[in-house]
Amino acid sequence: MSGREIATVQLPPGQRARLARAGFRTVEDVIALGPVDLAKELEISNEEALEILDVVKGAKPGAENPPTQSSSALEMLKQERVQAGIITFCGAWDGMLGNGIPLGKLTEVCGPPGIGKTQLGIQLAVDVQIPQCFSGVEGEAIYIDTEGSFVAERARDIAAGVLQHLQTVSAQPNNAEHAQACAELSLAGMLSRIHLFRAHTHHELIALSFLLEDFCKEHPNVRLVVVDSIAFHFRQEFASMALRSRLLHGIAQTLIRLAVSHNLAVVLTNQMTTKLGGESRGQLVPALGESWGHMCTNRIVLSWQRGVRCATLAKSPTLPETTINYDVTPAGIRDVWVADLAPADGPAVKRTRGDAV
């Protein structure tokens, strides 16, 4: 049976003509190639080839135009109220977000270097595996590393911290279910459920975003996708900033569809940049521009205040703007001791303790 003809796909006339001249007749002919090979065949840029593949893959028979489904506002409200989140064992973080990192949505975490963005991403890749009887989602994680900052030893330390915490809880009397769930977990098993991908260029990142749908179908327990960081390959000078925006928005739309269709959380880390004001006063703002800021459901901005790490929920459709304090320990993100907080009129004096980093 022949596939859908390229002539019926909603591509610009110039691109359809190029495909026809190169001998491409059906959707299957095009998607059989990767972006680099397609760019060579059509003598176009890799970016334009990625755009063509994005459109053509959406037109693949059997995968395109799913039946339009509707739901009432009441049904959506009920679903959000019972929707589980990825908890962190940091009460301040989980409380700020209502019930941890929400599933089915994009959450952006912005902050300067050294503030804990990668620490949080690695911890979430571990925390997503917490069993349901411990109020977890009991899933797996995809971790897309664009900066080369993922450290396996750090993931091992955080996983060990989670196991120790779960064992402490399960050791309490009358917790047979907890004890059974905890007994089934192991350090090696938790690390094996973190699927790591390395994206060395923005081309690889875009191509990888196309592959996530099939990967999630093969691994139906995936409940988290982390991209650390979304900005790394896009802060270089692009010949066209409009092209950069289109590519970024294409990635975001792909991840949104993935989050909704597979009921998983997407967490994107972002860097900070300096924005000059009218009086040449610099202000730190999330990178990638204002239009990018509209793509994510939630935006969390990390910062330092009097020597203490702070997280501000700067954007959320349902939750108020909130600022909390947190710490980074060998076991991951944790609540700050009250003794660590500085008075308003003085510098922070952090108490020395064995689990500080």
Side-chain angles (χ1 to χ4, degrees):
M1 183 178 65
S2 60
R4 179 175 176 178
E5 295 185 359
I6 285 295
T8 65
V9 179
Q10 293 183 348
L11 286 168
Q15 292 180 349
R16 285 204 303 268
R18 280 182 177 273
L19 288 167
R21 287 197 299 268
F24 295 97
R25 296 291 180 265
T26 67
V27 167
E28 286 74 11
D29 294 337
V30 178
I31 63 177
L33 296 180
V36 176
D37 293 332
L38 183 62
K40 291 179 180 178
E41 289 283 345
L42 303 182
E43 297 182 349
I44 59 177
S45 67
N46 291 338
E47 289 83 356
E48 188 174 358
L50 285 167
E51 289 185 357
I52 292 175
L53 282 172
D54 193 15
V55 175
V56 172
K57 285 185 176 181
K60 182 180 178 182
E64 83 285 11
N65 302 324
T68 301
Q69 297 180 351
S70 65
S71 58
S72 68
L74 179 60
E75 290 173 337
M76 293 180 64
L77 179 61
K78 290 180 178 179
Q79 182 178 2
E80 289 189 359
R81 285 180 173 176
V82 300
Q83 181 72 279
I86 302 174
I87 59 174
T88 65
F89 292 145
C90 176
W93 263 94
D94 297 339
M96 177 179 67
L97 294 169
N99 189 26
I101 303 294
L103 303 184
K105 295 179 173 59
L106 267 65
T107 299
E108 180 188 35
V109 180
C110 317
I115 197 69
K117 302 186 298 295
T118 297
Q119 301 286 333
L120 177 64
I122 295 175
Q123 176 170 345
L124 291 175
V126 173
D127 288 342
V128 72
Q129 304 177 48
I130 295 174
Q132 294 181 4
C133 62
F134 289 94
S135 300
V137 298
E138 201 168 337
E140 301 178 16
I142 295 173
Y143 198 104
I144 302 175
D145 184 7
T146 66
E147 301 184 10
S149 55
F150 183 91
V151 180
E153 289 80 4
R154 190 72 185 102
R156 180 197 58 197
D157 292 344
I158 293 176
V162 170
L163 278 175
Q164 183 179 8
H165 183 87
L166 295 178
Q167 289 168 356
T168 300
V169 174
S170 64
Q172 299 177 5
N174 302 320
N175 270 340
E177 183 181 8
H178 287 176
Q180 176 63 29
C182 193
E184 295 174 357
L185 292 175
S186 68
L187 194 59
M190 297 183 78
L191 294 178
S192 69
R193 288 187 284 273
I194 301 175
H195 307 286
L196 180 64
F197 295 87
R198 183 76 167 90
H200 297 86
T201 67
H202 74 275
H203 302 295
E204 292 184 5
L205 178 59
I206 296 170
L208 181 57
S209 70
F210 293 146
L211 302 176
L212 292 179
E213 175 68 29
D214 290 338
F215 187 88
C216 287
K217 289 179 180 178
E218 296 173 0
H219 300 78
N221 289 330
V222 169
R223 288 293 174 267
L224 172 69
V225 175
V226 177
V227 181
D228 182 27
S229 73
I230 187 65
F232 186 70
H233 295 311
F234 288 95
R235 295 192 68 180
Q236 307 172 27
E237 290 295 330
F238 270 66
S240 168
M241 296 306 291
L243 172 61
R244 187 185 84 159
S245 294
R246 289 201 305 272
L247 294 176
L248 278 168
H249 288 196
I251 292 175
Q253 291 295 336
T254 300
L255 294 175
I256 289 171
R257 290 194 297 268
L258 189 75
V260 173
S261 61
H262 292 276
N263 191 34
L264 55 82
V266 175
V267 175
L268 312 173
T269 67
N270 192 4
Q271 302 166 356
M272 304 293 283
T273 188
T274 302
K275 180 179 180 181
L276 297 179
E279 299 179 357
S280 299
R281 292 183 177 179
Q283 178 184 6
L284 280 179
V285 297
L288 302 179
E290 294 182 1
S291 62
W292 168 256
H294 299 292
M295 298 304 297
C296 296
T297 311
N298 301 307
R299 167 174 276 181
I300 301 170
V301 179
L302 310 182
S303 61
W304 290 96
Q305 293 184 14
R306 300 191 301 277
V308 178
R309 290 180 172 90
C310 298
T312 299
L313 182 61
K315 175 192 174 186
S316 171
T318 58
L319 299 170
E321 180 173 330
T322 308
T323 298
I324 59 97
N325 301 307
Y326 69 97
D327 197 8
V328 177
T329 76
I333 304 294
R334 292 293 185 266
D335 290 302
V336 176
W337 290 11
V338 175
D340 290 339
L341 300 179
D345 57 351
V349 180
K350 291 185 70 63
R351 177 164 42 169
T352 301
R353 59 184 186 275
D355 61 353
V357 296

